Amino acid sequence: MPGAPARVAFHDAPFVILDEPTAALDARAEHGTHGSLMAAGGRYAELFALQAEGYLDPAAIPGR
């Protein structure tokens, strides 16, 4: 979010939501449904599994 602090500095508001509006433009993004991306076993599946380890039983995580 490199541009977010600059936007906050010049915006007078009671609160500001910082987001990543360009995330969908990532040239390396994988496209498909959750199921198809998990079945492909690529970077999406790897990152999902890493996050899921914090809240799912490891036996329920595909590929683990």
Side-chain angles (χ1 to χ4, degrees):
M1 271 185 282
R7 287 192 298 271
V8 171
F10 296 104
H11 192 77
D12 183 25
F15 66 92
V16 178
I17 298 173
L18 303 176
D19 64 350
E20 183 55 57
T22 60
L25 302 176
D26 187 349
R28 297 170 293 166
E30 296 180 51
H31 300 281
T33 64
H34 172 73
S36 68
L37 292 170
M38 292 300 289
R43 185 84 170 140
Y44 176 92
E46 177 186 349
L47 294 175
F48 177 85
L50 285 172
Q51 287 185 325
E53 287 174 357
Y55 56 87
L56 290 179
D57 177 356
I61 302 171
R64 296 284 177 190

